[in-house]
Amino acid sequence: MIIDCHGHYTTAPQALWNWRKSQVSDPKNFSRKLVISDQEIRDSLEGAQLRLQRERGSDLTFFSPRAGSMEHHVGDAAVSAAWSRECNDLIHRVCSLYPENFAPVCQLPQSPGVRPENCIAELERCVTQMGFIGCNLNPDPSGGWWKEVPLTDRWWYPLYEKMVELDVPAMVHVSSSCNPAFHFTGAHYINADTTAFMQLIQGDLFKDFPTLRFVIPHGGGAVPYHWGRYRGLAQDMKKPLLKDHLLNNVYFDTCVYHQPGIDLLLKVIPVENILFASEMVGAVRGIDPETGQYYDDTKRYIENAAGLSAADKKKIFEGNVKRVYPRFKR
Amino acid sequence: MIIDCHGHYTTAPQALWNWRKSQVSDPKNFSRKLVISDQEIRDSLEGAQLRLQRERGSDLTFFSPRAGSMEHHVGDAAVSAAWSRECNDLIHRVCSLYPENFAPVCQLPQSPGVRPENCIAELERCVTQMGFIGCNLNPDPSGGWWKEVPLTDRWWYPLYEKMVELDVPAMVHVSSSCNPAFHFTGAHYINADTTAFMQLIQGDLFKDFPTLRFVIPHGGGAVPYHWGRYRGLAQDMKKPLLKDHLLNNVYFDTCVYHQPGIDLLLKVIPVENILFASEMVGAVRGIDPETGQYYDDTKRYIENAAGLSAADKKKIFEGNVKRVYPRFKR
């Protein structure tokens, strides 16, 4: 079985985006009901994620709302709560229509400067009432201005306590960038991955939460490429070896869109910490002229990786994912 | 000849840091003269950079003030100007004492929100009067809050015009981070490299400045690891191939502190665009227990890279550096 742990509903029907537009234009007087038919949902997926699953030969995708549209920085906590609820309900409908193809991961109703325990009710609703298996946690709900405390701060602890209780991991994933310095998928996403990992090095979060689990997407940002730097920085800070300090709790996905990048990831990060993912349909949609294949068809890179045993491939494609997301049951 | 294009005076005598402390504590009434003897300069280098050059077998380092201490965010433009002048004068003294070992690269007196042409006088002074061969350009003088426009904005053009006229490249290098989200050498530096490269992808800067040259330090941040992502994003934006869009003007240094990272860099980036560097004595000072060698002894990784010809090594160690910094003459 091949499980893609990182997919967003980037192709959601236009009605969702229209709903959002109305909501943010006049949140106080907003009461529009979101109307999307089952057929519209099917149409939005059949020619996109479902076709690509078939063509590429993956079985199931962990599916969450479009990351760039979480927009925790837009409006206040009430706006974020209403929007998250709609988005998560829609993901639930997708997964109910296609239980063989998708498993649900939720957006959290974060809002800049608002305490993370404010997200607990929605996380609980998604997990206990609708079978969600994980969540996306935004380390920068300001959208590119980076005003929140590091992920190791006690500010976040109530949410972590609930995640541990529910036994769900978080993918650490920012949303769009309002900062003109940061292109969202080309800089903000990758920077956030790098930043989050470095915050975890500096802290001792997993001493307090030995079973808390984070997935760092996009192949861990810059981290595997600079693995020597991170090992060295941890050493200079008198932290334990990274394998003991973080790798019982932190995982990297395989959203790295060329063979040499995947080869590096497989070389430096233990295979137990790598989860298959492609983020399709996502940041990069074209065909690589150097290979004739889609950039984001990451399954090929793993299959073509030299020296990776069948057992290791099975871990990356299935075993690790099931271990990190224990609520996932086909 | 082996030229390290990225070294900072991290070991400068305590008198320099004392001067700075006095300056920022009362900039209005400050008039202290910086007093450092030649012997103090020698003492600060003999046991550090000079010893490491000898031990590791490099010949000469392009030497600039400590990056983390540029602190463009501290005080106003006048404070930044006075501080930059002291730091650059000290670098000039180092290079006059050890002309066989160091060539000077200057700090620019940037200040948040202050027009970059404000840096021209100091750049001109350094280059034309003191033989400096390049400069460090900070894309985020706010120190981690990222309030400046992208590097492709016309805001920066007057400075670029002067760089072109003087035929000096800039290393794109941030300073320390005031933002608790970003560890300075573990997140802010690497993020800045990634961010700058993505800004260059989005723009068309080198159409306007075909001879402008930037060095992206720390192996280009996350860029080589995500080379497929960047090629794909440029393609989705209908930009030319990266080799045509950027690689006549953008170079990556080799400050990547493990063999697999250097191997990736050499694999995906054309050898003509790679400049040898170690940033010693810098961000990572320990010995890698996996190799028994210093993490930042990057010369070893290049020497040990499989399949790299002697001619290519010569390009990385010497030829490319001389081409990018034409004012350098031994």
Side-chain angles (χ1 to χ4, degrees):
Chain A
M1 184 175 185
I2 294 182
I3 303 168
D4 182 337
C5 78
H6 186 180
H8 302 292
Y9 198 4
T10 50
T11 60
Q14 189 56 40
L16 180 69
W17 315 125
N18 293 345
W19 186 98
R20 173 64 168 170
K21 205 172 160 188
S22 299
Q23 186 207 23
V24 302
S25 69
D26 187 11
K28 294 271 176 257
N29 299 305
F30 181 72
S31 63
R32 181 168 168 170
K33 198 172 143 45
L34 175 62
V35 180
I36 294 176
S37 69
D38 284 358
Q39 192 56 45
E40 284 176 286
I41 294 175
R42 287 199 181 92
D43 291 345
S44 73
L45 295 163
E46 286 289 351
Q49 290 85 353
L50 289 168
R51 176 177 63 80
L52 292 171
Q53 281 185 355
R54 283 191 302 271
E55 286 178 9
R56 299 180 184 182
S58 68
D59 295 298
L60 185 140
T61 302
F62 291 176
F63 210 50
S64 62
R66 186 160 77 179
S69 303
M70 296 190 297
E71 295 183 329
H72 296 120
H73 53 277
V74 173
D76 60 11
V79 167
S80 182
W83 173 232
S84 297
R85 206 175 161 97
E86 290 295 342
C87 289
N88 291 332
D89 284 350
L90 190 60
I91 292 292
H92 175 58
R93 287 181 64 196
V94 166
C95 297
S96 302
L97 283 170
Y98 296 99
E100 301 293 312
N101 298 94
F102 298 104
V105 169
C106 68
Q107 167 176 333
L108 295 173
Q110 295 177 250
S111 191
V114 175
R115 299 192 74 83
E117 45 264 56
N118 192 50
C119 299
I120 288 176
E122 179 63 5
L123 176 65
E124 234 170 355
R125 183 182 80 93
C126 289
V127 173
T128 62
Q129 296 176 30
M130 302 196 291
F132 280 59
I133 61 171
C135 61
N136 292 333
L137 176 66
N138 184 350
D140 172 32
S142 77
W145 301 108
W146 289 93
K147 299 191 171 173
E148 231 70 355
V149 292
L151 290 173
T152 49
D153 193 280
R154 287 181 173 272
W155 169 262
W156 301 96
Y157 274 27
L159 179 60
Y160 298 158
E161 283 163 13
K162 184 54 67 175
M163 285 170 55
V164 166
E165 180 197 319
L166 295 172
D167 207 11
V168 291
M171 180 172 279
V172 179
H173 204 308
V174 287
S175 186
S176 56
S177 163
C178 317
N179 187 329
F182 301 132
H183 183 274
F184 85 116
T185 54
H188 190 41
Y189 281 21
I190 304 295
N191 292 350
D193 306 333
T194 309
T195 300
F197 191 81
M198 189 64 215
Q199 291 177 355
L200 298 175
I201 288 181
Q202 290 176 268
D204 288 297
L205 181 60
F206 304 114
K207 275 193 185 157
D208 287 340
F209 294 99
T211 62
L212 184 66
R213 298 178 302 283
F214 287 143
V215 179
I216 313 281
H218 321 107
V223 170
Y225 177 49
H226 286 286
W227 195 238
R229 187 179 193 87
Y230 291 104
R231 290 194 290 111
L233 285 169
Q235 186 173 319
D236 287 352
M237 292 174 183
K238 316 288 182 208
K239 297 292 183 184
L241 292 176
L242 291 185
K243 74 178 177 60
D244 302 316
H245 187 40
L246 300 182
L247 294 189
N248 295 311
N249 306 82
V250 176
Y251 303 84
F252 298 88
D253 83 6
T254 65
C255 292
V256 178
Y257 297 154
H258 63 152
Q259 187 71 50
I262 290 288
D263 290 345
L264 174 83
L265 174 68
L266 295 170
K267 184 149 199 172
V268 301
I269 304 297
V271 71
E272 286 71 22
N273 293 79
I274 299 173
L275 311 186
F276 173 64
S278 69
E279 205 176 352
M280 65 89 171
V281 179
V284 177
R285 305 198 174 186
I287 289 176
D288 186 345
E290 295 182 7
T291 64
Q293 306 293 342
Y294 284 102
Y295 286 103
D296 67 359
D297 187 358
T298 55
K299 179 164 161 282
R300 285 178 183 275
Y301 308 135
I302 293 158
E303 283 168 344
N304 293 336
L308 194 66
S309 70
D312 283 348
K313 284 180 192 165
K314 197 173 153 66
K315 285 183 189 172
I316 292 170
F317 284 132
E318 178 178 358
N320 297 340
V321 184
K322 288 180 171 171
R323 188 160 44 82
V324 176
Y325 292 79
R327 281 186 171 265
F328 170 68
K329 301 276 187 305
R330 180 93 181 240
Chain B
M1 185 175 184
I2 295 181
I3 303 168
D4 182 336
C5 78
H6 186 179
H8 302 291
Y9 198 5
T10 50
T11 60
Q14 188 55 40
L16 180 69
W17 316 124
N18 293 344
W19 186 96
R20 172 65 166 170
K21 205 171 161 190
S22 299
Q23 185 207 24
V24 303
S25 68
D26 187 11
K28 294 272 177 255
N29 300 305
F30 181 71
S31 64
R32 179 167 167 172
K33 200 173 145 39
L34 176 62
V35 180
I36 294 177
S37 69
D38 285 358
Q39 191 56 47
E40 283 175 285
I41 293 176
R42 288 199 181 92
D43 290 345
S44 72
L45 295 163
E46 287 289 352
Q49 290 87 351
L50 290 168
R51 175 178 64 80
L52 292 172
Q53 281 184 355
R54 283 191 302 271
E55 286 178 11
R56 299 179 185 183
S58 67
D59 296 298
L60 185 140
T61 302
F62 291 177
F63 210 50
S64 62
R66 187 160 77 178
S69 303
M70 296 191 296
E71 295 184 330
H72 295 121
H73 54 276
V74 173
D76 60 12
V79 167
S80 183
W83 173 232
S84 297
R85 206 175 160 97
E86 290 295 341
C87 288
N88 291 332
D89 284 351
L90 190 60
I91 292 292
H92 176 59
R93 288 182 63 196
V94 166
C95 297
S96 302
L97 283 171
Y98 296 99
E100 302 293 311
N101 298 94
F102 298 105
V105 168
C106 67
Q107 167 176 333
L108 295 173
Q110 295 177 248
S111 191
V114 175
R115 300 192 72 85
E117 46 264 57
N118 192 51
C119 299
I120 289 177
E122 178 64 5
L123 177 64
E124 234 170 354
R125 183 182 80 93
C126 288
V127 174
T128 63
Q129 295 176 31
M130 300 196 293
F132 280 59
I133 61 171
C135 60
N136 292 332
L137 177 65
N138 184 348
D140 172 32
S142 78
W145 302 106
W146 289 93
K147 299 193 170 170
E148 231 69 355
V149 291
L151 291 173
T152 50
D153 193 281
R154 288 181 173 271
W155 168 262
W156 301 96
Y157 275 27
L159 179 61
Y160 298 158
E161 283 162 12
K162 184 54 67 176
M163 285 169 57
V164 166
E165 180 196 318
L166 296 171
D167 207 11
V168 290
M171 180 172 279
V172 179
H173 204 308
V174 287
S175 186
S176 56
S177 163
C178 317
N179 187 329
F182 301 132
H183 183 272
F184 86 117
T185 54
H188 190 42
Y189 282 19
I190 304 296
N191 292 350
D193 306 334
T194 309
T195 299
F197 191 81
M198 189 63 214
Q199 291 178 355
L200 297 176
I201 289 182
Q202 291 177 266
D204 287 297
L205 181 62
F206 303 116
K207 276 192 184 157
D208 287 340
F209 293 100
T211 62
L212 185 66
R213 299 179 301 284
F214 287 143
V215 179
I216 313 281
H218 320 109
V223 170
Y225 177 49
H226 286 286
W227 195 237
R229 187 179 193 87
Y230 292 103
R231 289 194 292 111
L233 285 169
Q235 185 174 319
D236 287 353
M237 292 175 184
K238 316 289 184 208
K239 296 292 183 184
L241 292 176
L242 291 185
K243 74 179 177 58
D244 301 316
H245 186 41
L246 300 182
L247 293 190
N248 295 310
N249 307 83
V250 177
Y251 303 83
F252 299 87
D253 83 7
T254 65
C255 293
V256 177
Y257 296 153
H258 62 152
Q259 188 71 49
I262 290 287
D263 290 345
L264 175 83
L265 174 68
L266 295 170
K267 183 150 200 171
V268 302
I269 304 299
V271 71
E272 285 72 21
N273 294 79
I274 300 173
L275 310 186
F276 173 64
S278 69
E279 206 175 356
M280 63 90 172
V281 178
V284 177
R285 306 197 174 187
I287 289 176
D288 186 345
E290 296 183 9
T291 64
Q293 305 294 342
Y294 284 102
Y295 286 103
D296 67 359
D297 187 358
T298 55
K299 180 165 162 280
R300 285 178 183 275
Y301 308 135
I302 293 159
E303 283 168 345
N304 293 337
L308 193 66
S309 70
D312 283 349
K313 284 179 191 165
K314 196 174 156 64
K315 283 184 189 170
I316 292 170
F317 283 133
E318 177 178 0
N320 298 339
V321 185
K322 289 181 170 172
R323 189 161 42 84
V324 175
Y325 293 78
R327 281 188 171 264
F328 170 68
K329 301 274 187 305
R330 180 100 182 232

